[in-house]
Amino acid sequence: MDPRLVRLAEHTIGFMPPNEGLVLYRAALQAGPLGALLEIGSYCGKSAVYLGAGAKEAGTILFSVDHHRGSEEQQPGQEYFDQRVVDPTTGRVDTLLLFRRTIDAAGLEDTVVPIVGRSEIVARRWTTPVALVFIDGGHSEESVRSDFEGWAPHVVRGGLLVFHDIYPDPSKGGQAPYRVYSEALAGGDFEVALAEGSLRVLKRVGDPLRDFVPTRQGLAAE
Ligand SMILES: C[S@@+](CC[C@H](N)C(=O)[O-])C[C@H]1O[C@@H](n2cnc3c(N)ncnc32)[C@H](O)[C@@H]1O
C-alpha cells in the first residue's frame, strides 16, 4: 500500500490499528475484482483509507455507510467519546466533515462513496451485490445483528464478510460482535479466511463464477 496513505490512515482519528488496516487493504484488493465493496462505520475515514486504497487498485469502489452521529459508546460521557468530533454549533457528534477531509486528502473522492444514513434503513432498500462487507458500525448486539442480517445476504459467492472487534476472551472486549460472528460461522454460508488482531475475514462459500453461468448459457443459446 502507498506509504503516504498508510501514514494518513495512522494520523486519522479512529479505531483501526495499522496491522488490521493492512489486512483490510489486502482483503479489498482480493475481493475488488468481484464487485463493489461496502463498509458500515465510516467515522473519520480511517478504515475507508485502507479499504479505499485496495478498491482503487482493484478498479472498484467502496460505499461507506454511516449516520455520522456516533455509536452509543461514542456519546458524551461514554467510554469512546472524543470531544474533537463534536460539531460546536449543534453540540452533537458529527464526523461527516472529518470523513470528507480524510477521503479528499487520500485522493479517494472518486473511489469512496459516502452514504449518510442509518445502516438498517439503507440495507432495507439495497439491491446491488457486493464483493466485501466490513461490519464496524454500532457495537451493541442489536446493531451488529442488524448489520449482519441486513448486509451479509448481499455478499457474492467467493466474496468477503469482515467483522471488527472480535474478542473470544470476554476480559479483552465486548461480546456482541463475537456472538454474531459465531452465528455467522455456524450458519454455514461463510468460512474463516483470515484472523488478524480483532479482525476476522470470512469468505462466502461457493464459486463466484457460478453467478455468471446463466448469462454464459444465455449467450451460448443466442
Ligand atoms: C467504531 S466507529 C467506526 C470506526 C471506523 N471504521 C474506523 O476505522 O475508525 C462506528 C461508527 O458507526 C456509526 N454507526 C453506529 N451505528 C450506526 C447505524 N445504525 N447506522 C450507520 N452508522 C452507524 C457511528 O456513527 C460511528 O461512526
Side-chain angles (χ1 to χ4, degrees):
M1 182 170 157
D2 179 347
R4 198 186 62 88
L5 292 186
V6 174
R7 272 197 304 280
L8 175 69
E10 285 176 10
H11 287 99
T12 299
I13 300 172
F15 306 94
M16 186 53 59
N19 58 320
E20 297 181 7
L22 288 170
V23 168
L24 284 182
Y25 164 72
R26 286 203 295 273
L29 267 184
Q30 182 188 321
L34 298 179
L37 321 180
L38 186 140
E39 75 168 348
I40 306 112
S42 325
Y43 199 56
C44 302
K46 203 176 183 78
S47 49
V49 170
Y50 291 107
L51 287 168
K56 187 174 180 178
E57 278 183 51
T60 189
I61 62 168
L62 169 73
F63 295 108
S64 185
V65 181
D66 201 311
H67 50 44
H68 288 280
R69 292 298 185 196
S71 303
E72 303 88 324
E73 66 278 9
Q74 293 161 346
Q75 301 306 317
Q78 302 301 310
E79 190 178 359
Y80 294 102
F81 174 64
D82 187 333
Q83 185 65 45
R84 293 173 296 176
V85 304
V86 173
D87 175 347
T89 306
T90 62
R92 295 179 69 188
V93 169
D94 190 346
T95 51
L96 181 56
L97 180 60
L98 291 164
F99 176 77
R100 292 207 68 170
R101 281 190 191 147
T102 303
I103 299 310
D104 178 34
L108 290 171
E109 283 202 317
D110 290 339
T111 301
V112 179
V113 178
I115 298 181
V116 182
R118 277 170 50 202
S119 165
E120 53 276 33
I121 294 176
V122 182
R124 228 173 280 143
R125 298 284 174 168
W126 192 266
T127 53
T128 304
V130 281
L132 178 153
V133 165
F134 174 47
I135 297 182
D136 195 21
H139 282 45
S140 68
E141 183 139 353
E142 192 190 353
S143 292
V144 187
R145 177 157 291 108
S146 151
D147 285 338
F148 170 64
E149 289 175 355
W151 291 106
H154 297 291
V155 178
V156 298
R157 291 189 194 97
L160 303 176
L161 176 66
V162 187
F163 285 90
H164 199 212
D165 298 317
I166 300 303
Y167 299 106
D169 177 352
S171 70
K172 298 274 174 9
Q175 292 296 284
Y178 177 63
R179 276 195 289 274
V180 177
Y181 158 81
S182 303
E183 287 168 25
L185 267 183
D189 284 338
F190 294 92
E191 58 194 18
V192 180
L194 197 78
E196 173 69 33
S198 74
L199 206 68
R200 296 292 180 278
V201 181
L202 305 185
K203 185 172 183 178
R204 181 159 214 140
V205 294
D207 178 357
L209 290 177
R210 276 184 54 194
D211 289 330
F212 299 114
V213 167
T215 315
R216 286 171 61 196
Q217 282 173 342
L219 283 174
E222 279 172 11

